[in-house]
Structure formats: C-alpha cells, structure tokens
C-alpha cells in the first residue's frame, strides 16, 4: 500500500524550531518530488514547499511565507522527507501534510498521495 | 502570484442532484488545474488533474472541465459520501502552487 506518515508535530514556543518527518512506503520514494502543504485550523490549504528528486538535483522551492525559515530535505535511503522549521511564528500553527507528486521522474504536478497530517501549534 | 477564486463558498444540494462548482484563475493556468476533496478530519484526496482527468479510483460521476482561467467540477448525482469541502489548485505557475479557498458542499 502506498502510504505517507508524518510525525514530529507538537506544541512549540514562538521563535523555536521543530522538525517534521514524512516516512514513505509502498513506492520508490527516490523517484518522486515531495511537497509539504499546511492547513491552519478552520482554513484552507497552503503550499509550503517542495523538493525535487535527486534526478533533478534534489533542489527545493518554498512559499514566500516560509522562505528563509523552513528547509526541506530528503533521505532516499530511508524513504523520509523532512521539514525543518526555524523561527516559528504563531501563524505557522497548522496541520502539516506531506504529499507526493503525481508523476514519477517529474515535478510540478498535482499531488496524488497525502499523509494524514501532523499538528503543529506555536504558542507561548 | 496566481490567485484562485472558488464559487460559491457554500453550495446546498439534495442527494441525487447535480452539483456544479467553479474555480477561476487570475491568469491563465492552461490545463494545469487539480481538484481535491476533503472530509472533516481527513487529508485531501486528489479527484481531478489536468483539468479533466480523473485520478485513480475516482467514480465517473466526478468530472472536470475548462482551461485557461475558468474551470468547473461537476458531480452528476450526489451521493451521501460526496458532501465535503472541495479545493481547486493550479500547478501551472509552479513552484508557486496555489489553492482556491474551497467550496463547502452541504446537504440541502
């Protein structure tokens, strides 16, 4: 079964850091671009950033709201994607979803697989 | 940044009837448009990509149309499990993916 499982969420104070993990199974993780999408309580979906597969350099792109504070990385040997979040703000409070790019060996497409999400609460 | 605007915000429809949801882009996104369904407490699910291609396992009652700036998601005969929030997403202007604000489809 193709699956993504996020972990690492929790309560953190403003200005602190947190790292989320996304563990993949059921497919060849290294062949796909991966994205993070978040959803604030009662709000809509907001794309956070993505990482290309190693075939495309493993490079990353970010939304303006998180650029310079968040970093996405991947460990293909463990089938895990990471979201390192630094200098957290109260407005970063959200459920964070890990997603897979629809098309293998590509990027810049829709997201066909989503994890169940992990909640991050930024509060003092 | 491309802004995606969905209408209406809430749509009330009776089971068995047709539902039509709209999504408008602030500039052309060609056919690089996806639709997602989200039920309470669940992750979004991909329904449609490429504006009109159903994702794997999606029933035929879901259909998408449009190109450029105007898009429509149609559910031909609503089932009880279809009542949810629907989001459109453009991926033409990647890497700056943007989502619409969502349409809540509720039982009339």
């Amino acid at each position: 079964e193709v699956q993504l499982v996020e972990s690492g969420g929790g309560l953190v104070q403003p200005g602190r850091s947190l790292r989320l993990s996304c563990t993949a199974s059921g497919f060849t993780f290294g062949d796909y671009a991966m994205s993070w999408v978040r959803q604030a309580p009662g709000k809509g979906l907001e794309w956070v950033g993505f990482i290309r597969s190693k075939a495309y350099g493993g490079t990353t792109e970010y939304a303006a709201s998180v650029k310079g504070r968040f970093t996405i990385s991947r460990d293909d040997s463990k089938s895990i994607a990471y979201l390192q979040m630094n200098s957290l703000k109260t407005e970063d409070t959200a459920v964070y979803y890990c997603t897979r790019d629809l098309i293998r060996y590509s990027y810049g497409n829709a997201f066909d697989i989503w994890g169940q999400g992990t909640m991050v609460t930024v509060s003092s | 940044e491309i802004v995606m605007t969905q209408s209406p915000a809430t749509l009330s429809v009776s089971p068995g009837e047709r539902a039509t949801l709209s999504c408008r882009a602030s500039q052309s996104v060609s056919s690089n448009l996806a639709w997602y369904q989200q039920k309470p407490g669940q992750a979004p699910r991909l329904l449609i990509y490429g504006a009109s291609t159903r994702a794997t396992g999606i029933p035929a009652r879901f259909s998408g149309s449009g190109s450029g700036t105007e898009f429509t998601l149609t559910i031909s005969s609503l089932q009880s499990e279809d009542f949810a929030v629907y989001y459109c997403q453009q991926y033409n202007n990647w890497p700056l993916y943007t989502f619409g604000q969502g349409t809540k489809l509720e039982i009339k």
Side-chain angles (χ1 to χ4, degrees):
Chain A
E1 179 190 6
V2 174
Q3 195 173 11
L4 298 172
V5 178
E6 301 93 339
S7 60
L11 175 64
V12 61
Q13 293 178 328
R16 304 298 291 265
S17 299
L18 198 64
R19 188 178 80 161
L20 306 183
S21 299
C22 168
T23 303
S25 59
F27 65 98
T28 305
F29 177 77
D31 292 345
Y32 289 86
M34 302 295 294
S35 281
W36 288 89
V37 175
R38 68 184 180 183
Q39 186 170 36
K43 303 297 184 182
L45 302 170
E46 179 188 16
W47 173 75
V48 171
F50 87 95
I51 185 166
R52 297 174 177 86
S53 66
K54 287 293 196 296
Y56 289 95
T59 51
T60 54
E61 307 288 350
Y62 301 95
S65 58
V66 306
K67 197 169 186 178
R69 299 188 299 123
F70 288 13
T71 301
I72 297 173
S73 60
R74 64 190 301 156
D75 185 337
D76 291 349
S77 68
K78 297 181 179 179
S79 297
I80 300 177
Y82 300 99
L83 177 63
Q84 176 68 43
M85 304 183 292
N86 298 332
S87 303
L88 281 161
K89 306 175 181 180
T90 55
E91 52 263 41
D92 295 320
T93 295
V95 174
Y96 284 75
Y97 295 102
C98 173
T99 73
R100 187 186 81 167
D101 195 281
L102 172 66
I103 300 176
R104 195 176 183 182
Y105 305 128
S106 182
Y107 57 91
N109 302 287
F111 307 142
D112 68 334
I113 304 297
W114 294 63
Q116 85 290 351
T118 187
M119 182 70 202
V120 173
T121 302
V122 184
S123 175
S124 55
Chain B
E1 178 182 329
I2 296 178
V3 177
M4 307 301 292
T5 302
Q6 293 185 239
S7 62
T10 303
L11 181 62
S12 299
V13 183
S14 300
E17 294 189 338
R18 173 187 298 256
T20 302
L21 289 67
S22 296
C23 176
R24 173 177 293 178
S26 60
Q27 63 189 79
S28 177
V29 298
S30 186
S31 294
N32 296 312
L33 189 286
W35 290 94
Y36 300 86
Q37 175 194 67
Q38 187 178 34
K39 298 179 181 179
Q42 295 185 16
R45 176 175 69 145
L46 177 66
L47 298 175
I48 301 285
Y49 62 93
S52 61
T53 302
R54 279 190 302 277
T56 302
I58 301 304
R61 64 180 181 273
F62 290 91
S63 63
S65 63
S67 66
T69 62
E70 300 284 344
F71 301 89
T72 300
L73 174 69
T74 301
I75 311 171
S76 59
S77 178
L78 279 165
Q79 307 297 304
S80 58
E81 62 266 30
D82 299 336
F83 294 95
V85 178
Y86 292 83
Y87 294 95
C88 63
Q89 175 210 25
Q90 69 81 21
Y91 51 95
N92 188 68
N93 192 36
W94 66 270
L96 299 179
Y97 300 94
T98 47
F99 292 89
Q101 81 281 13
T103 290
K104 182 180 181 181
L105 180 57
E106 63 177 28
I107 300 175
K108 186 174 182 179

